PDB file of all heavy atoms in Angstrom:
ATOM      1  N   LEU G 167      33.784  19.944  29.892  1.00 88.00           N
ATOM      2  CA  LEU G 167      33.996  19.184  31.127  1.00 88.00           C
ATOM      3  C   LEU G 167      35.482  18.952  31.385  1.00 88.00           C
ATOM      4  O   LEU G 167      35.924  18.966  32.538  1.00 88.00           O
ATOM      5  CB  LEU G 167      33.212  17.881  31.086  1.00 88.00           C
ATOM      6  CG  LEU G 167      31.685  18.062  31.099  1.00 88.00           C
ATOM      7  CD1 LEU G 167      30.972  16.740  30.899  1.00 88.00           C
ATOM      8  CD2 LEU G 167      31.210  18.757  32.362  1.00 88.00           C
ATOM      9  N   ILE G 168      36.271  18.777  30.327  1.00 91.00           N
ATOM     10  CA  ILE G 168      37.723  18.677  30.496  1.00 91.00           C
ATOM     11  C   ILE G 168      38.255  19.983  31.071  1.00 91.00           C
ATOM     12  O   ILE G 168      39.052  19.978  32.017  1.00 91.00           O
ATOM     13  CB  ILE G 168      38.421  18.348  29.157  1.00 91.00           C
ATOM     14  CG1 ILE G 168      38.117  16.913  28.737  1.00 91.00           C
ATOM     15  CG2 ILE G 168      39.937  18.574  29.267  1.00 91.00           C
ATOM     16  CD1 ILE G 168      38.533  16.584  27.305  1.00 91.00           C
ATOM     17  N   LEU G 169      37.822  21.104  30.524  1.00 90.00           N
ATOM     18  CA  LEU G 169      38.276  22.408  31.021  1.00 90.00           C
ATOM     19  C   LEU G 169      37.909  22.623  32.486  1.00 90.00           C
ATOM     20  O   LEU G 169      38.699  23.148  33.266  1.00 90.00           O
ATOM     21  CB  LEU G 169      37.679  23.546  30.185  1.00 90.00           C
ATOM     22  CG  LEU G 169      38.316  23.789  28.839  1.00 90.00           C
ATOM     23  CD1 LEU G 169      37.440  24.710  27.991  1.00 90.00           C
ATOM     24  CD2 LEU G 169      39.707  24.378  29.000  1.00 90.00           C
ATOM     25  N   MET G 170      36.713  22.217  32.863  1.00 87.00           N
ATOM     26  CA  MET G 170      36.247  22.462  34.221  1.00 87.00           C
ATOM     27  C   MET G 170      36.792  21.463  35.239  1.00 87.00           C
ATOM     28  O   MET G 170      36.986  21.803  36.400  1.00 87.00           O
ATOM     29  CB  MET G 170      34.715  22.443  34.282  1.00 87.00           C
ATOM     30  CG  MET G 170      34.032  23.553  33.512  1.00 87.00           C
ATOM     31  SD  MET G 170      34.519  25.203  34.050  1.00 87.00           S
ATOM     32  CE  MET G 170      35.645  25.689  32.747  1.00 87.00           C
ATOM     33  N   ASN G 171      37.038  20.233  34.802  1.00 87.00           N
ATOM     34  CA  ASN G 171      37.349  19.181  35.770  1.00 87.00           C
ATOM     35  C   ASN G 171      38.622  18.387  35.504  1.00 87.00           C
ATOM     36  O   ASN G 171      39.017  17.606  36.365  1.00 87.00           O
ATOM     37  CB  ASN G 171      36.182  18.183  35.827  1.00 87.00           C
ATOM     38  CG  ASN G 171      34.880  18.847  36.189  1.00 87.00           C
ATOM     39  OD1 ASN G 171      34.815  19.655  37.087  1.00 87.00           O
ATOM     40  ND2 ASN G 171      33.830  18.521  35.452  1.00 87.00           N
ATOM     41  N   GLY G 172      39.234  18.548  34.333  1.00 86.00           N
ATOM     42  CA  GLY G 172      40.341  17.662  34.019  1.00 86.00           C
ATOM     43  C   GLY G 172      41.593  18.327  33.503  1.00 86.00           C
ATOM     44  O   GLY G 172      42.456  17.660  32.946  1.00 86.00           O
ATOM     45  N   ALA G 173      41.720  19.622  33.687  1.00 92.00           N
ATOM     46  CA  ALA G 173      42.860  20.331  33.100  1.00 92.00           C
ATOM     47  C   ALA G 173      43.930  20.694  34.123  1.00 92.00           C
ATOM     48  O   ALA G 173      44.862  21.433  33.810  1.00 92.00           O
ATOM     49  CB  ALA G 173      42.365  21.587  32.382  1.00 92.00           C
ATOM     50  N   GLU G 174      43.836  20.167  35.337  1.00 92.00           N
ATOM     51  CA  GLU G 174      44.826  20.481  36.368  1.00 92.00           C
ATOM     52  C   GLU G 174      46.212  20.065  35.907  1.00 92.00           C
ATOM     53  O   GLU G 174      46.418  18.957  35.420  1.00 92.00           O
ATOM     54  CB  GLU G 174      44.478  19.763  37.672  1.00 92.00           C
ATOM     55  CG  GLU G 174      45.399  20.139  38.808  1.00 92.00           C
ATOM     56  CD  GLU G 174      45.031  19.422  40.093  1.00 92.00           C
ATOM     57  OE1 GLU G 174      43.829  19.294  40.379  1.00 92.00           O
ATOM     58  OE2 GLU G 174      45.956  19.006  40.791  1.00 92.00           O
ATOM     59  N   GLY G 175      47.164  20.978  36.041  1.00 92.00           N
ATOM     60  CA  GLY G 175      48.532  20.714  35.614  1.00 92.00           C
ATOM     61  C   GLY G 175      48.809  21.192  34.202  1.00 92.00           C
ATOM     62  O   GLY G 175      49.935  21.117  33.731  1.00 92.00           O
ATOM     63  N   SER G 176      47.793  21.704  33.527  1.00 94.00           N
ATOM     64  CA  SER G 176      47.979  22.236  32.170  1.00 94.00           C
ATOM     65  C   SER G 176      47.826  23.749  32.197  1.00 94.00           C
ATOM     66  O   SER G 176      47.462  24.334  33.212  1.00 94.00           O
ATOM     67  CB  SER G 176      46.936  21.637  31.219  1.00 94.00           C
ATOM     68  OG  SER G 176      45.673  22.269  31.393  1.00 94.00           O
ATOM     69  N   ARG G 177      48.058  24.357  31.061  1.00 93.00           N
ATOM     70  CA  ARG G 177      47.876  25.814  30.986  1.00 93.00           C
ATOM     71  C   ARG G 177      46.399  26.212  31.069  1.00 93.00           C
ATOM     72  O   ARG G 177      46.078  27.380  31.211  1.00 93.00           O
ATOM     73  CB  ARG G 177      48.530  26.385  29.735  1.00 93.00           C
ATOM     74  CG  ARG G 177      47.844  26.055  28.443  1.00 93.00           C
ATOM     75  CD  ARG G 177      48.674  26.580  27.271  1.00 93.00           C
ATOM     76  NE  ARG G 177      47.954  26.524  26.034  1.00 93.00           N
ATOM     77  CZ  ARG G 177      47.462  27.584  25.404  1.00 93.00           C
ATOM     78  NH1 ARG G 177      47.656  28.780  25.881  1.00 93.00           N
ATOM     79  NH2 ARG G 177      46.810  27.445  24.276  1.00 93.00           N
ATOM     80  N   TYR G 178      45.507  25.235  31.025  1.00 94.00           N
ATOM     81  CA  TYR G 178      44.067  25.493  31.127  1.00 94.00           C
ATOM     82  C   TYR G 178      43.527  25.268  32.530  1.00 94.00           C
ATOM     83  O   TYR G 178      42.325  25.348  32.746  1.00 94.00           O
ATOM     84  CB  TYR G 178      43.301  24.599  30.142  1.00 94.00           C
ATOM     85  CG  TYR G 178      43.613  24.916  28.713  1.00 94.00           C
ATOM     86  CD1 TYR G 178      44.531  24.155  28.000  1.00 94.00           C
ATOM     87  CD2 TYR G 178      43.022  25.996  28.074  1.00 94.00           C
ATOM     88  CE1 TYR G 178      44.839  24.456  26.681  1.00 94.00           C
ATOM     89  CE2 TYR G 178      43.320  26.303  26.764  1.00 94.00           C
ATOM     90  CZ  TYR G 178      44.231  25.528  26.069  1.00 94.00           C
ATOM     91  OH  TYR G 178      44.538  25.831  24.762  1.00 94.00           O
ATOM     92  N   GLU G 179      44.399  24.992  33.500  1.00 93.00           N
ATOM     93  CA  GLU G 179      43.913  24.685  34.838  1.00 93.00           C
ATOM     94  C   GLU G 179      43.159  25.851  35.473  1.00 93.00           C
ATOM     95  O   GLU G 179      42.393  25.657  36.396  1.00 93.00           O
ATOM     96  CB  GLU G 179      45.039  24.196  35.743  1.00 93.00           C
ATOM     97  CG  GLU G 179      46.048  25.231  36.137  1.00 93.00           C
ATOM     98  CD  GLU G 179      47.167  24.622  36.987  1.00 93.00           C
ATOM     99  OE1 GLU G 179      47.052  23.463  37.419  1.00 93.00           O
ATOM    100  OE2 GLU G 179      48.154  25.320  37.198  1.00 93.00           O
ATOM    101  N   ASN G 180      43.338  27.052  34.958  1.00 93.00           N
ATOM    102  CA  ASN G 180      42.625  28.223  35.477  1.00 93.00           C
ATOM    103  C   ASN G 180      41.474  28.658  34.562  1.00 93.00           C
ATOM    104  O   ASN G 180      41.055  29.808  34.602  1.00 93.00           O
ATOM    105  CB  ASN G 180      43.602  29.383  35.678  1.00 93.00           C
ATOM    106  CG  ASN G 180      44.618  29.061  36.750  1.00 93.00           C
ATOM    107  OD1 ASN G 180      44.289  28.492  37.787  1.00 93.00           O
ATOM    108  ND2 ASN G 180      45.874  29.395  36.497  1.00 93.00           N
ATOM    109  N   ALA G 181      40.967  27.734  33.765  1.00 91.00           N
ATOM    110  CA  ALA G 181      39.895  28.072  32.824  1.00 91.00           C
ATOM    111  C   ALA G 181      38.672  28.634  33.535  1.00 91.00           C
ATOM    112  O   ALA G 181      38.071  29.607  33.079  1.00 91.00           O
ATOM    113  CB  ALA G 181      39.510  26.850  31.997  1.00 91.00           C
ATOM    114  N   ARG G 182      38.310  28.042  34.652  1.00 89.00           N
ATOM    115  CA  ARG G 182      37.141  28.522  35.398  1.00 89.00           C
ATOM    116  C   ARG G 182      37.347  29.988  35.812  1.00 89.00           C
ATOM    117  O   ARG G 182      36.439  30.808  35.696  1.00 89.00           O
ATOM    118  CB  ARG G 182      36.887  27.639  36.611  1.00 89.00           C
ATOM    119  CG  ARG G 182      35.558  27.894  37.300  1.00 89.00           C
ATOM    120  CD  ARG G 182      35.331  26.971  38.482  1.00 89.00           C
ATOM    121  NE  ARG G 182      35.070  25.611  38.079  1.00 89.00           N
ATOM    122  CZ  ARG G 182      33.903  24.996  38.219  1.00 89.00           C
ATOM    123  NH1 ARG G 182      32.911  25.598  38.798  1.00 89.00           N
ATOM    124  NH2 ARG G 182      33.730  23.751  37.811  1.00 89.00           N
ATOM    125  N   GLN G 183      38.539  30.319  36.281  1.00 90.00           N
ATOM    126  CA  GLN G 183      38.838  31.695  36.690  1.00 90.00           C
ATOM    127  C   GLN G 183      38.832  32.635  35.480  1.00 90.00           C
ATOM    128  O   GLN G 183      38.379  33.776  35.583  1.00 90.00           O
ATOM    129  CB  GLN G 183      40.193  31.772  37.420  1.00 90.00           C
ATOM    130  CG  GLN G 183      40.190  31.096  38.770  1.00 90.00           C
ATOM    131  CD  GLN G 183      40.458  29.594  38.698  1.00 90.00           C
ATOM    132  OE1 GLN G 183      40.493  28.977  37.640  1.00 90.00           O
ATOM    133  NE2 GLN G 183      40.630  28.977  39.859  1.00 90.00           N
ATOM    134  N   GLN G 184      39.318  32.162  34.338  1.00 89.00           N
ATOM    135  CA  GLN G 184      39.307  32.991  33.136  1.00 89.00           C
ATOM    136  C   GLN G 184      37.874  33.266  32.678  1.00 89.00           C
ATOM    137  O   GLN G 184      37.536  34.394  32.301  1.00 89.00           O
ATOM    138  CB  GLN G 184      40.097  32.318  32.017  1.00 89.00           C
ATOM    139  CG  GLN G 184      41.582  32.280  32.282  1.00 89.00           C
ATOM    140  CD  GLN G 184      42.317  31.459  31.240  1.00 89.00           C
ATOM    141  OE1 GLN G 184      41.767  30.546  30.620  1.00 89.00           O
ATOM    142  NE2 GLN G 184      43.583  31.783  31.044  1.00 89.00           N
ATOM    143  N   ILE G 185      37.044  32.256  32.720  1.00 89.00           N
ATOM    144  CA  ILE G 185      35.641  32.433  32.338  1.00 89.00           C
ATOM    145  C   ILE G 185      34.959  33.378  33.325  1.00 89.00           C
ATOM    146  O   ILE G 185      34.185  34.251  32.928  1.00 89.00           O
ATOM    147  CB  ILE G 185      34.927  31.069  32.262  1.00 89.00           C
ATOM    148  CG1 ILE G 185      35.519  30.243  31.111  1.00 89.00           C
ATOM    149  CG2 ILE G 185      33.424  31.244  32.098  1.00 89.00           C
ATOM    150  CD1 ILE G 185      35.114  28.787  31.123  1.00 89.00           C
ATOM    151  N   THR G 186      35.270  33.240  34.597  1.00 90.00           N
ATOM    152  CA  THR G 186      34.717  34.145  35.610  1.00 90.00           C
ATOM    153  C   THR G 186      35.135  35.582  35.334  1.00 90.00           C
ATOM    154  O   THR G 186      34.323  36.501  35.469  1.00 90.00           O
ATOM    155  CB  THR G 186      35.156  33.711  37.024  1.00 90.00           C
ATOM    156  OG1 THR G 186      34.701  32.371  37.255  1.00 90.00           O
ATOM    157  CG2 THR G 186      34.563  34.618  38.096  1.00 90.00           C
ATOM    158  N   ALA G 187      36.373  35.782  34.932  1.00 90.00           N
ATOM    159  CA  ALA G 187      36.844  37.137  34.607  1.00 90.00           C
ATOM    160  C   ALA G 187      36.067  37.716  33.428  1.00 90.00           C
ATOM    161  O   ALA G 187      35.704  38.899  33.439  1.00 90.00           O
ATOM    162  CB  ALA G 187      38.340  37.125  34.312  1.00 90.00           C
ATOM    163  N   PHE G 188      35.782  36.893  32.406  1.00 89.00           N
ATOM    164  CA  PHE G 188      34.970  37.352  31.270  1.00 89.00           C
ATOM    165  C   PHE G 188      33.590  37.794  31.747  1.00 89.00           C
ATOM    166  O   PHE G 188      33.081  38.842  31.365  1.00 89.00           O
ATOM    167  CB  PHE G 188      34.776  36.246  30.222  1.00 89.00           C
ATOM    168  CG  PHE G 188      35.981  35.855  29.438  1.00 89.00           C
ATOM    169  CD1 PHE G 188      36.104  34.546  28.987  1.00 89.00           C
ATOM    170  CD2 PHE G 188      36.990  36.744  29.126  1.00 89.00           C
ATOM    171  CE1 PHE G 188      37.201  34.142  28.243  1.00 89.00           C
ATOM    172  CE2 PHE G 188      38.096  36.356  28.389  1.00 89.00           C
ATOM    173  CZ  PHE G 188      38.200  35.052  27.943  1.00 89.00           C
ATOM    174  N   VAL G 189      32.967  36.970  32.590  1.00 89.00           N
ATOM    175  CA  VAL G 189      31.619  37.281  33.068  1.00 89.00           C
ATOM    176  C   VAL G 189      31.652  38.507  33.984  1.00 89.00           C
ATOM    177  O   VAL G 189      30.762  39.367  33.903  1.00 89.00           O
ATOM    178  CB  VAL G 189      30.982  36.061  33.772  1.00 89.00           C
ATOM    179  CG1 VAL G 189      29.661  36.427  34.426  1.00 89.00           C
ATOM    180  CG2 VAL G 189      30.794  34.923  32.780  1.00 89.00           C
ATOM    181  N   THR G 190      32.654  38.622  34.828  1.00 92.00           N
ATOM    182  CA  THR G 190      32.773  39.785  35.717  1.00 92.00           C
ATOM    183  C   THR G 190      32.845  41.072  34.901  1.00 92.00           C
ATOM    184  O   THR G 190      32.205  42.075  35.244  1.00 92.00           O
ATOM    185  CB  THR G 190      34.012  39.651  36.627  1.00 92.00           C
ATOM    186  OG1 THR G 190      33.855  38.490  37.442  1.00 92.00           O
ATOM    187  CG2 THR G 190      34.168  40.870  37.518  1.00 92.00           C
ATOM    188  N   GLU G 191      33.579  41.035  33.814  1.00 90.00           N
ATOM    189  CA  GLU G 191      33.682  42.208  32.943  1.00 90.00           C
ATOM    190  C   GLU G 191      32.315  42.605  32.403  1.00 90.00           C
ATOM    191  O   GLU G 191      31.946  43.778  32.403  1.00 90.00           O
ATOM    192  CB  GLU G 191      34.636  41.889  31.787  1.00 90.00           C
ATOM    193  CG  GLU G 191      34.894  43.045  30.865  1.00 90.00           C
ATOM    194  CD  GLU G 191      35.863  42.646  29.758  1.00 90.00           C
ATOM    195  OE1 GLU G 191      36.969  42.160  30.089  1.00 90.00           O
ATOM    196  OE2 GLU G 191      35.501  42.814  28.582  1.00 90.00           O
ATOM    197  N   ARG G 192      31.532  41.617  31.979  1.00 86.00           N
ATOM    198  CA  ARG G 192      30.177  41.908  31.472  1.00 86.00           C
ATOM    199  C   ARG G 192      29.279  42.459  32.577  1.00 86.00           C
ATOM    200  O   ARG G 192      28.508  43.393  32.369  1.00 86.00           O
ATOM    201  CB  ARG G 192      29.538  40.651  30.878  1.00 86.00           C
ATOM    202  CG  ARG G 192      30.115  40.173  29.573  1.00 86.00           C
ATOM    203  CD  ARG G 192      29.831  41.102  28.395  1.00 86.00           C
ATOM    204  NE  ARG G 192      28.453  41.402  28.179  1.00 86.00           N
ATOM    205  CZ  ARG G 192      27.598  40.667  27.469  1.00 86.00           C
ATOM    206  NH1 ARG G 192      27.995  39.555  26.894  1.00 86.00           N
ATOM    207  NH2 ARG G 192      26.343  41.033  27.323  1.00 86.00           N
ATOM    208  N   VAL G 193      29.375  41.870  33.780  1.00 87.00           N
ATOM    209  CA  VAL G 193      28.567  42.344  34.910  1.00 87.00           C
ATOM    210  C   VAL G 193      28.919  43.789  35.223  1.00 87.00           C
ATOM    211  O   VAL G 193      28.030  44.627  35.425  1.00 87.00           O
ATOM    212  CB  VAL G 193      28.760  41.429  36.150  1.00 87.00           C
ATOM    213  CG1 VAL G 193      28.190  42.063  37.407  1.00 87.00           C
ATOM    214  CG2 VAL G 193      28.128  40.062  35.909  1.00 87.00           C
ATOM    215  N   GLU G 194      30.206  44.111  35.245  1.00 90.00           N
ATOM    216  CA  GLU G 194      30.639  45.486  35.528  1.00 90.00           C
ATOM    217  C   GLU G 194      30.153  46.463  34.470  1.00 90.00           C
ATOM    218  O   GLU G 194      29.740  47.578  34.789  1.00 90.00           O
ATOM    219  CB  GLU G 194      32.164  45.548  35.627  1.00 90.00           C
ATOM    220  CG  GLU G 194      32.714  44.888  36.851  1.00 90.00           C
ATOM    221  CD  GLU G 194      34.231  44.785  36.859  1.00 90.00           C
ATOM    222  OE1 GLU G 194      34.869  44.891  35.785  1.00 90.00           O
ATOM    223  OE2 GLU G 194      34.776  44.584  37.953  1.00 90.00           O
ATOM    224  N   GLU G 195      30.157  46.037  33.211  1.00 86.00           N
ATOM    225  CA  GLU G 195      29.741  46.910  32.110  1.00 86.00           C
ATOM    226  C   GLU G 195      28.233  47.090  32.035  1.00 86.00           C
ATOM    227  O   GLU G 195      27.758  48.188  31.737  1.00 86.00           O
ATOM    228  CB  GLU G 195      30.202  46.337  30.765  1.00 86.00           C
ATOM    229  CG  GLU G 195      31.676  46.400  30.530  1.00 86.00           C
ATOM    230  CD  GLU G 195      32.072  45.681  29.235  1.00 86.00           C
ATOM    231  OE1 GLU G 195      31.175  45.227  28.480  1.00 86.00           O
ATOM    232  OE2 GLU G 195      33.278  45.573  28.997  1.00 86.00           O
ATOM    233  N   GLU G 196      27.486  46.024  32.270  1.00 84.00           N
ATOM    234  CA  GLU G 196      26.063  46.069  31.959  1.00 84.00           C
ATOM    235  C   GLU G 196      25.122  46.019  33.154  1.00 84.00           C
ATOM    236  O   GLU G 196      24.027  46.545  33.066  1.00 84.00           O
ATOM    237  CB  GLU G 196      25.723  44.941  30.987  1.00 84.00           C
ATOM    238  CG  GLU G 196      26.454  45.137  29.665  1.00 84.00           C
ATOM    239  CD  GLU G 196      25.870  44.318  28.554  1.00 84.00           C
ATOM    240  OE1 GLU G 196      24.652  44.106  28.541  1.00 84.00           O
ATOM    241  OE2 GLU G 196      26.653  43.896  27.702  1.00 84.00           O
ATOM    242  N   MET G 197      25.529  45.376  34.230  1.00 85.00           N
ATOM    243  CA  MET G 197      24.618  45.267  35.367  1.00 85.00           C
ATOM    244  C   MET G 197      24.865  46.351  36.408  1.00 85.00           C
ATOM    245  O   MET G 197      23.923  46.972  36.890  1.00 85.00           O
ATOM    246  CB  MET G 197      24.731  43.883  36.009  1.00 85.00           C
ATOM    247  CG  MET G 197      24.207  42.766  35.130  1.00 85.00           C
ATOM    248  SD  MET G 197      24.454  41.133  35.851  1.00 85.00           S
ATOM    249  CE  MET G 197      23.125  41.091  37.039  1.00 85.00           C
ATOM    250  N   LEU G 198      26.129  46.558  36.759  1.00 89.00           N
ATOM    251  CA  LEU G 198      26.420  47.509  37.836  1.00 89.00           C
ATOM    252  C   LEU G 198      25.928  48.924  37.552  1.00 89.00           C
ATOM    253  O   LEU G 198      25.403  49.574  38.460  1.00 89.00           O
ATOM    254  CB  LEU G 198      27.921  47.519  38.159  1.00 89.00           C
ATOM    255  CG  LEU G 198      28.491  46.260  38.810  1.00 89.00           C
ATOM    256  CD1 LEU G 198      29.921  46.513  39.274  1.00 89.00           C
ATOM    257  CD2 LEU G 198      27.644  45.736  39.943  1.00 89.00           C
ATOM    258  N   PRO G 199      26.076  49.439  36.332  1.00 89.00           N
ATOM    259  CA  PRO G 199      25.591  50.807  36.089  1.00 89.00           C
ATOM    260  C   PRO G 199      24.091  50.996  36.322  1.00 89.00           C
ATOM    261  O   PRO G 199      23.636  52.113  36.545  1.00 89.00           O
ATOM    262  CB  PRO G 199      25.940  51.052  34.618  1.00 89.00           C
ATOM    263  CG  PRO G 199      27.086  50.145  34.349  1.00 89.00           C
ATOM    264  CD  PRO G 199      26.803  48.912  35.179  1.00 89.00           C
ATOM    265  N   LYS G 200      23.330  49.917  36.322  1.00 86.00           N
ATOM    266  CA  LYS G 200      21.884  49.996  36.525  1.00 86.00           C
ATOM    267  C   LYS G 200      21.502  49.936  38.000  1.00 86.00           C
ATOM    268  O   LYS G 200      20.342  50.085  38.345  1.00 86.00           O
ATOM    269  CB  LYS G 200      21.190  48.876  35.757  1.00 86.00           C
ATOM    270  CG  LYS G 200      21.391  49.004  34.255  1.00 86.00           C
ATOM    271  CD  LYS G 200      20.846  47.826  33.517  1.00 86.00           C
ATOM    272  CE  LYS G 200      21.145  47.992  32.031  1.00 86.00           C
ATOM    273  NZ  LYS G 200      20.797  46.823  31.268  1.00 86.00           N
ATOM    274  N   LEU G 201      22.493  49.703  38.850  1.00 88.00           N
ATOM    275  CA  LEU G 201      22.255  49.607  40.286  1.00 88.00           C
ATOM    276  C   LEU G 201      22.492  50.955  40.959  1.00 88.00           C
ATOM    277  O   LEU G 201      23.186  51.814  40.416  1.00 88.00           O
ATOM    278  CB  LEU G 201      23.186  48.556  40.895  1.00 88.00           C
ATOM    279  CG  LEU G 201      23.004  47.118  40.407  1.00 88.00           C
ATOM    280  CD1 LEU G 201      24.093  46.226  40.986  1.00 88.00           C
ATOM    281  CD2 LEU G 201      21.627  46.596  40.769  1.00 88.00           C
ATOM    282  N   PRO G 202      21.960  51.131  42.159  1.00 92.00           N
ATOM    283  CA  PRO G 202      22.259  52.363  42.911  1.00 92.00           C
ATOM    284  C   PRO G 202      23.774  52.490  43.116  1.00 92.00           C
ATOM    285  O   PRO G 202      24.495  51.488  43.227  1.00 92.00           O
ATOM    286  CB  PRO G 202      21.545  52.141  44.255  1.00 92.00           C
ATOM    287  CG  PRO G 202      20.480  51.125  43.962  1.00 92.00           C
ATOM    288  CD  PRO G 202      21.022  50.255  42.866  1.00 92.00           C
ATOM    289  N   ALA G 203      24.259  53.714  43.173  1.00 91.00           N
ATOM    290  CA  ALA G 203      25.700  53.993  43.238  1.00 91.00           C
ATOM    291  C   ALA G 203      26.420  53.205  44.331  1.00 91.00           C
ATOM    292  O   ALA G 203      27.529  52.722  44.121  1.00 91.00           O
ATOM    293  CB  ALA G 203      25.932  55.488  43.424  1.00 91.00           C
ATOM    294  N   GLY G 204      25.813  53.028  45.472  1.00 90.00           N
ATOM    295  CA  GLY G 204      26.450  52.325  46.567  1.00 90.00           C
ATOM    296  C   GLY G 204      26.624  50.833  46.347  1.00 90.00           C
ATOM    297  O   GLY G 204      27.311  50.164  47.114  1.00 90.00           O
ATOM    298  N   MET G 205      26.025  50.295  45.285  1.00 91.00           N
ATOM    299  CA  MET G 205      26.096  48.851  45.013  1.00 91.00           C
ATOM    300  C   MET G 205      27.025  48.524  43.850  1.00 91.00           C
ATOM    301  O   MET G 205      27.074  47.384  43.411  1.00 91.00           O
ATOM    302  CB  MET G 205      24.700  48.312  44.689  1.00 91.00           C
ATOM    303  CG  MET G 205      23.723  48.389  45.836  1.00 91.00           C
ATOM    304  SD  MET G 205      22.074  47.829  45.349  1.00 91.00           S
ATOM    305  CE  MET G 205      22.344  46.097  45.058  1.00 91.00           C
ATOM    306  N   ARG G 206      27.783  49.473  43.368  1.00 91.00           N
ATOM    307  CA  ARG G 206      28.538  49.285  42.127  1.00 91.00           C
ATOM    308  C   ARG G 206      29.979  48.840  42.317  1.00 91.00           C
ATOM    309  O   ARG G 206      30.826  49.139  41.508  1.00 91.00           O
ATOM    310  CB  ARG G 206      28.511  50.580  41.321  1.00 91.00           C
ATOM    311  CG  ARG G 206      27.140  50.938  40.852  1.00 91.00           C
ATOM    312  CD  ARG G 206      27.151  52.158  39.995  1.00 91.00           C
ATOM    313  NE  ARG G 206      25.789  52.592  39.751  1.00 91.00           N
ATOM    314  CZ  ARG G 206      25.457  53.771  39.299  1.00 91.00           C
ATOM    315  NH1 ARG G 206      26.405  54.658  39.047  1.00 91.00           N
ATOM    316  NH2 ARG G 206      24.201  54.069  39.109  1.00 91.00           N
ATOM    317  N   GLY G 207      30.255  48.084  43.334  1.00 91.00           N
ATOM    318  CA  GLY G 207      31.629  47.677  43.603  1.00 91.00           C
ATOM    319  C   GLY G 207      32.064  46.438  42.845  1.00 91.00           C
ATOM    320  O   GLY G 207      31.250  45.601  42.443  1.00 91.00           O
TER     321      GLY G 207
END
């Protein structure tokens, strides 16, 4: 909760974006290849 709501002004203020980047990488690796080619962006 500190990372998500109380880290503004610290080096962790972008924690939500960093976690999103981790998840995006997994989605690109594991979910997108299973979709039709036109949906893999």
Side-chain angles (χ1 to χ4, degrees):
L167 293 174
I168 290 169
L169 283 167
M170 295 302 103
N171 302 315
E174 185 180 320
S176 78
R177 71 185 191 107
Y178 295 99
E179 70 183 350
N180 295 319
R182 191 179 289 248
Q183 292 85 351
Q184 291 173 333
I185 294 167
T186 301
F188 290 149
V189 173
T190 298
E191 184 179 305
R192 289 291 305 274
V193 167
E194 289 172 341
E195 290 174 5
E196 297 197 33
M197 292 176 78
L198 291 189
K200 297 173 183 173
L201 297 174
M205 295 177 67
R206 295 184 189 164

